[in-house]
Amino acid sequence: TKPLNYLLTHFSLKLPLPLEAALRLPSALAASFVAPAFYLLLSYPGCRQRGLLSAILVAANPWMFELSKHSI
């Protein structure tokens, strides 16, 4: 959501990073946690293939690359 992105961007700007890296850090971190989150949410005992397949599909999704590149 936007308010959470604004809050995380506010705190990432306080880090000793170049401006562009600080602006993109929250989006990049969020995108990097999406595939493991899909795996954990969709793999339950006896059905790990579903979680693994969904994590692979999310990780290979071109929209995820685009969304992780945008700062806001």
Side-chain angles (χ1 to χ4, degrees):
T1 62
K2 287 291 185 182
L4 180 61
N5 190 14
Y6 294 151
L7 181 68
L8 293 175
T9 303
H10 172 75
F11 288 118
S12 70
L13 287 172
K14 306 255 185 230
L15 296 173
L17 295 171
L19 180 63
E20 185 177 353
L23 286 173
R24 292 183 179 194
L25 182 65
S27 298
L29 287 177
S32 66
F33 288 120
V34 169
F38 265 74
Y39 175 75
L40 291 174
L41 288 174
L42 294 175
S43 67
Y44 47 88
C47 192
R48 291 181 57 195
Q49 286 109 359
R50 179 180 291 172
L52 185 60
L53 179 64
S54 65
I56 290 170
L57 290 175
V58 167
N61 188 352
W63 284 101
M64 288 301 298
F65 293 115
E66 285 297 317
L67 290 176
S68 66
K69 289 192 299 186
H70 295 292
S71 59
I72 298 177

mmCIF file of all heavy atoms in Angstrom, residues 18-48:
data_model
loop_
_atom_site.group_PDB
_atom_site.id
_atom_site.type_symbol
_atom_site.label_atom_id
_atom_site.label_comp_id
_atom_site.label_asym_id
_atom_site.label_seq_id
_atom_site.Cartn_x
_atom_site.Cartn_y
_atom_site.Cartn_z
ATOM 1 N N PRO A 18 23.185 6.353 -1.830
ATOM 2 C CA PRO A 18 22.841 7.332 -2.871
ATOM 3 C C PRO A 18 21.318 7.468 -2.970
ATOM 4 O O PRO A 18 20.573 6.558 -2.621
ATOM 5 C CB PRO A 18 23.411 6.722 -4.141
ATOM 6 C CG PRO A 18 24.435 5.747 -3.685
ATOM 7 C CD PRO A 18 23.998 5.269 -2.345
ATOM 8 N N LEU A 19 20.890 8.623 -3.425
ATOM 9 C CA LEU A 19 19.454 8.929 -3.446
ATOM 10 C C LEU A 19 18.652 7.887 -4.220
ATOM 11 O O LEU A 19 17.615 7.422 -3.751
ATOM 12 C CB LEU A 19 19.228 10.318 -4.036
ATOM 13 C CG LEU A 19 17.782 10.782 -4.120
ATOM 14 C CD1 LEU A 19 17.182 10.881 -2.722
ATOM 15 C CD2 LEU A 19 17.677 12.097 -4.839
ATOM 16 N N GLU A 20 19.112 7.513 -5.403
ATOM 17 C CA GLU A 20 18.368 6.551 -6.218
ATOM 18 C C GLU A 20 18.263 5.190 -5.530
ATOM 19 O O GLU A 20 17.206 4.553 -5.534
ATOM 20 C CB GLU A 20 19.020 6.390 -7.580
ATOM 21 C CG GLU A 20 18.236 5.501 -8.512
ATOM 22 C CD GLU A 20 18.863 5.421 -9.889
ATOM 23 O OE1 GLU A 20 19.825 6.144 -10.161
ATOM 24 O OE2 GLU A 20 18.359 4.612 -10.686
ATOM 25 N N ALA A 21 19.327 4.752 -4.901
ATOM 26 C CA ALA A 21 19.306 3.466 -4.192
ATOM 27 C C ALA A 21 18.375 3.528 -2.984
ATOM 28 O O ALA A 21 17.645 2.571 -2.714
ATOM 29 C CB ALA A 21 20.715 3.088 -3.753
ATOM 30 N N ALA A 22 18.384 4.637 -2.281
ATOM 31 C CA ALA A 22 17.508 4.770 -1.111
ATOM 32 C C ALA A 22 16.038 4.804 -1.517
ATOM 33 O O ALA A 22 15.181 4.276 -0.802
ATOM 34 C CB ALA A 22 17.864 6.037 -0.336
ATOM 35 N N LEU A 23 15.741 5.407 -2.654
ATOM 36 C CA LEU A 23 14.353 5.454 -3.112
ATOM 37 C C LEU A 23 13.862 4.090 -3.586
ATOM 38 O O LEU A 23 12.691 3.750 -3.423
ATOM 39 C CB LEU A 23 14.192 6.473 -4.238
ATOM 40 C CG LEU A 23 14.230 7.936 -3.826
ATOM 41 C CD1 LEU A 23 14.223 8.823 -5.058
ATOM 42 C CD2 LEU A 23 13.074 8.273 -2.921
ATOM 43 N N ARG A 24 14.735 3.304 -4.167
ATOM 44 C CA ARG A 24 14.330 2.000 -4.707
ATOM 45 C C ARG A 24 14.427 0.863 -3.697
ATOM 46 O O ARG A 24 13.935 -0.230 -3.951
ATOM 47 C CB ARG A 24 15.180 1.660 -5.920
ATOM 48 C CG ARG A 24 14.892 2.554 -7.086
ATOM 49 C CD ARG A 24 15.667 2.164 -8.279
ATOM 50 N NE ARG A 24 15.346 3.049 -9.391
ATOM 51 C CZ ARG A 24 15.665 2.801 -10.628
ATOM 52 N NH1 ARG A 24 16.326 1.715 -10.921
ATOM 53 N NH2 ARG A 24 15.347 3.646 -11.565
ATOM 54 N N LEU A 25 15.059 1.107 -2.563
ATOM 55 C CA LEU A 25 15.276 0.047 -1.589
ATOM 56 C C LEU A 25 13.978 -0.600 -1.091
ATOM 57 O O LEU A 25 13.877 -1.830 -1.080
ATOM 58 C CB LEU A 25 16.101 0.583 -0.415
ATOM 59 C CG LEU A 25 16.456 -0.428 0.656
ATOM 60 C CD1 LEU A 25 17.379 -1.499 0.085
ATOM 61 C CD2 LEU A 25 17.103 0.267 1.836
ATOM 62 N N PRO A 26 12.938 0.154 -0.679
ATOM 63 C CA PRO A 26 11.717 -0.519 -0.204
ATOM 64 C C PRO A 26 11.058 -1.388 -1.271
ATOM 65 O O PRO A 26 10.605 -2.500 -0.978
ATOM 66 C CB PRO A 26 10.801 0.636 0.207
ATOM 67 C CG PRO A 26 11.715 1.762 0.485
ATOM 68 C CD PRO A 26 12.858 1.603 -0.462
ATOM 69 N N SER A 27 11.020 -0.919 -2.506
ATOM 70 C CA SER A 27 10.408 -1.714 -3.581
ATOM 71 C C SER A 27 11.216 -2.964 -3.867
ATOM 72 O O SER A 27 10.656 -4.047 -4.085
ATOM 73 C CB SER A 27 10.291 -0.879 -4.847
ATOM 74 O OG SER A 27 9.455 0.231 -4.631
ATOM 75 N N ALA A 28 12.525 -2.843 -3.853
ATOM 76 C CA ALA A 28 13.376 -4.006 -4.122
ATOM 77 C C ALA A 28 13.265 -5.034 -3.002
ATOM 78 O O ALA A 28 13.212 -6.240 -3.257
ATOM 79 C CB ALA A 28 14.823 -3.559 -4.286
ATOM 80 N N LEU A 29 13.220 -4.577 -1.760
ATOM 81 C CA LEU A 29 13.069 -5.511 -0.643
ATOM 82 C C LEU A 29 11.717 -6.213 -0.680
ATOM 83 O O LEU A 29 11.627 -7.417 -0.439
ATOM 84 C CB LEU A 29 13.254 -4.785 0.683
ATOM 85 C CG LEU A 29 14.683 -4.379 1.023
ATOM 86 C CD1 LEU A 29 14.704 -3.591 2.327
ATOM 87 C CD2 LEU A 29 15.576 -5.586 1.105
ATOM 88 N N ALA A 30 10.671 -5.453 -0.970
ATOM 89 C CA ALA A 30 9.338 -6.055 -1.042
ATOM 90 C C ALA A 30 9.270 -7.091 -2.154
ATOM 91 O O ALA A 30 8.707 -8.175 -1.974
ATOM 92 C CB ALA A 30 8.291 -4.973 -1.261
ATOM 93 N N ALA A 31 9.859 -6.783 -3.298
ATOM 94 C CA ALA A 31 9.842 -7.735 -4.417
ATOM 95 C C ALA A 31 10.653 -8.988 -4.103
ATOM 96 O O ALA A 31 10.309 -10.078 -4.551
ATOM 97 C CB ALA A 31 10.376 -7.064 -5.673
ATOM 98 N N SER A 32 11.704 -8.832 -3.317
ATOM 99 C CA SER A 32 12.517 -10.007 -3.005
ATOM 100 C C SER A 32 11.851 -10.926 -1.990
ATOM 101 O O SER A 32 12.207 -12.098 -1.894
ATOM 102 C CB SER A 32 13.890 -9.578 -2.499
ATOM 103 O OG SER A 32 13.767 -8.918 -1.258
ATOM 104 N N PHE A 33 10.880 -10.427 -1.247
ATOM 105 C CA PHE A 33 10.181 -11.260 -0.272
ATOM 106 C C PHE A 33 8.893 -11.880 -0.810
ATOM 107 O O PHE A 33 8.271 -12.686 -0.134
ATOM 108 C CB PHE A 33 9.856 -10.461 0.993
ATOM 109 C CG PHE A 33 11.053 -10.160 1.830
ATOM 110 C CD1 PHE A 33 11.419 -8.861 2.103
ATOM 111 C CD2 PHE A 33 11.832 -11.186 2.333
ATOM 112 C CE1 PHE A 33 12.530 -8.582 2.870
ATOM 113 C CE2 PHE A 33 12.949 -10.921 3.106
ATOM 114 C CZ PHE A 33 13.299 -9.616 3.375
ATOM 115 N N VAL A 34 8.484 -11.526 -2.016
ATOM 116 C CA VAL A 34 7.216 -12.028 -2.557
ATOM 117 C C VAL A 34 7.291 -13.517 -2.881
ATOM 118 O O VAL A 34 6.396 -14.287 -2.511
ATOM 119 C CB VAL A 34 6.783 -11.207 -3.786
ATOM 120 C CG1 VAL A 34 5.622 -11.863 -4.508
ATOM 121 C CG2 VAL A 34 6.399 -9.813 -3.366
ATOM 122 N N ALA A 35 8.339 -13.958 -3.556
ATOM 123 C CA ALA A 35 8.440 -15.371 -3.933
ATOM 124 C C ALA A 35 8.534 -16.285 -2.714
ATOM 125 O O ALA A 35 7.801 -17.284 -2.650
ATOM 126 C CB ALA A 35 9.615 -15.592 -4.876
ATOM 127 N N PRO A 36 9.367 -15.982 -1.708
ATOM 128 C CA PRO A 36 9.360 -16.844 -0.517
ATOM 129 C C PRO A 36 8.024 -16.811 0.235
ATOM 130 O O PRO A 36 7.603 -17.824 0.790
ATOM 131 C CB PRO A 36 10.478 -16.277 0.365
ATOM 132 C CG PRO A 36 11.361 -15.552 -0.554
ATOM 133 C CD PRO A 36 10.487 -15.042 -1.655
ATOM 134 N N ALA A 37 7.354 -15.671 0.205
ATOM 135 C CA ALA A 37 6.051 -15.597 0.860
ATOM 136 C C ALA A 37 5.029 -16.484 0.151
ATOM 137 O O ALA A 37 4.240 -17.174 0.801
ATOM 138 C CB ALA A 37 5.556 -14.149 0.891
ATOM 139 N N PHE A 38 5.049 -16.491 -1.182
ATOM 140 C CA PHE A 38 4.155 -17.374 -1.930
ATOM 141 C C PHE A 38 4.455 -18.831 -1.612
ATOM 142 O O PHE A 38 3.555 -19.646 -1.477
ATOM 143 C CB PHE A 38 4.277 -17.123 -3.429
ATOM 144 C CG PHE A 38 3.255 -16.181 -3.968
ATOM 145 C CD1 PHE A 38 3.342 -14.827 -3.730
ATOM 146 C CD2 PHE A 38 2.199 -16.644 -4.723
ATOM 147 C CE1 PHE A 38 2.396 -13.954 -4.216
ATOM 148 C CE2 PHE A 38 1.244 -15.785 -5.229
ATOM 149 C CZ PHE A 38 1.353 -14.422 -4.965
ATOM 150 N N TYR A 39 5.736 -19.159 -1.523
ATOM 151 C CA TYR A 39 6.104 -20.533 -1.211
ATOM 152 C C TYR A 39 5.576 -20.936 0.162
ATOM 153 O O TYR A 39 4.989 -21.999 0.324
ATOM 154 C CB TYR A 39 7.619 -20.702 -1.257
ATOM 155 C CG TYR A 39 8.060 -22.075 -0.820
ATOM 156 C CD1 TYR A 39 7.892 -23.161 -1.666
ATOM 157 C CD2 TYR A 39 8.601 -22.293 0.438
ATOM 158 C CE1 TYR A 39 8.278 -24.437 -1.272
ATOM 159 C CE2 TYR A 39 8.986 -23.562 0.839
ATOM 160 C CZ TYR A 39 8.815 -24.626 -0.017
ATOM 161 O OH TYR A 39 9.180 -25.879 0.384
ATOM 162 N N LEU A 40 5.768 -20.075 1.149
ATOM 163 C CA LEU A 40 5.322 -20.409 2.508
ATOM 164 C C LEU A 40 3.800 -20.462 2.619
ATOM 165 O O LEU A 40 3.254 -21.289 3.348
ATOM 166 C CB LEU A 40 5.884 -19.395 3.500
ATOM 167 C CG LEU A 40 7.392 -19.471 3.719
ATOM 168 C CD1 LEU A 40 7.840 -18.327 4.619
ATOM 169 C CD2 LEU A 40 7.776 -20.808 4.307
ATOM 170 N N LEU A 41 3.112 -19.581 1.908
ATOM 171 C CA LEU A 41 1.651 -19.551 2.002
ATOM 172 C C LEU A 41 0.981 -20.709 1.264
ATOM 173 O O LEU A 41 -0.058 -21.196 1.700
ATOM 174 C CB LEU A 41 1.115 -18.225 1.457
ATOM 175 C CG LEU A 41 1.366 -17.009 2.328
ATOM 176 C CD1 LEU A 41 0.922 -15.747 1.596
ATOM 177 C CD2 LEU A 41 0.627 -17.132 3.654
ATOM 178 N N LEU A 42 1.568 -21.134 0.157
ATOM 179 C CA LEU A 42 0.903 -22.142 -0.665
ATOM 180 C C LEU A 42 1.453 -23.545 -0.502
ATOM 181 O O LEU A 42 0.916 -24.488 -1.085
ATOM 182 C CB LEU A 42 0.948 -21.732 -2.133
ATOM 183 C CG LEU A 42 0.156 -20.472 -2.456
ATOM 184 C CD1 LEU A 42 0.355 -20.088 -3.902
ATOM 185 C CD2 LEU A 42 -1.308 -20.667 -2.151
ATOM 186 N N SER A 43 2.516 -23.706 0.253
ATOM 187 C CA SER A 43 3.008 -25.065 0.497
ATOM 188 C C SER A 43 2.615 -25.474 1.905
ATOM 189 O O SER A 43 2.998 -24.843 2.873
ATOM 190 C CB SER A 43 4.522 -25.134 0.326
ATOM 191 O OG SER A 43 5.170 -24.399 1.318
ATOM 192 N N TYR A 44 1.815 -26.458 1.969
ATOM 193 C CA TYR A 44 1.404 -27.017 3.251
ATOM 194 C C TYR A 44 1.799 -28.484 3.247
ATOM 195 O O TYR A 44 2.154 -29.033 2.207
ATOM 196 C CB TYR A 44 -0.087 -26.818 3.505
ATOM 197 C CG TYR A 44 -0.978 -27.179 2.344
ATOM 198 C CD1 TYR A 44 -1.436 -28.475 2.175
ATOM 199 C CD2 TYR A 44 -1.355 -26.220 1.411
ATOM 200 C CE1 TYR A 44 -2.235 -28.809 1.110
ATOM 201 C CE2 TYR A 44 -2.164 -26.553 0.340
ATOM 202 C CZ TYR A 44 -2.597 -27.838 0.208
ATOM 203 O OH TYR A 44 -3.390 -28.165 -0.856
ATOM 204 N N PRO A 45 1.802 -29.136 4.389
ATOM 205 C CA PRO A 45 2.272 -30.528 4.431
ATOM 206 C C PRO A 45 1.603 -31.403 3.375
ATOM 207 O O PRO A 45 0.385 -31.440 3.256
ATOM 208 C CB PRO A 45 1.909 -30.988 5.833
ATOM 209 C CG PRO A 45 1.878 -29.735 6.631
ATOM 210 C CD PRO A 45 1.394 -28.659 5.695
ATOM 211 N N GLY A 46 2.413 -32.065 2.608
ATOM 212 C CA GLY A 46 1.912 -32.961 1.575
ATOM 213 C C GLY A 46 1.774 -32.307 0.216
ATOM 214 O O GLY A 46 1.461 -32.976 -0.758
ATOM 215 N N CYS A 47 2.001 -30.993 0.122
ATOM 216 C CA CYS A 47 1.826 -30.320 -1.170
ATOM 217 C C CYS A 47 2.880 -29.222 -1.342
ATOM 218 O O CYS A 47 2.552 -28.061 -1.545
ATOM 219 C CB CYS A 47 0.421 -29.745 -1.279
ATOM 220 S SG CYS A 47 0.013 -29.211 -2.947
ATOM 221 N N ARG A 48 4.143 -29.598 -1.278
ATOM 222 C CA ARG A 48 5.210 -28.623 -1.427
ATOM 223 C C ARG A 48 5.404 -28.204 -2.876
ATOM 224 O O ARG A 48 5.899 -27.118 -3.148
ATOM 225 C CB ARG A 48 6.511 -29.180 -0.870
ATOM 226 C CG ARG A 48 6.468 -29.310 0.635
ATOM 227 C CD ARG A 48 7.752 -29.833 1.197
ATOM 228 N NE ARG A 48 8.859 -28.982 0.815
ATOM 229 C CZ ARG A 48 10.121 -29.336 0.917
ATOM 230 N NH1 ARG A 48 10.441 -30.520 1.376
ATOM 231 N NH2 ARG A 48 11.086 -28.508 0.558
#
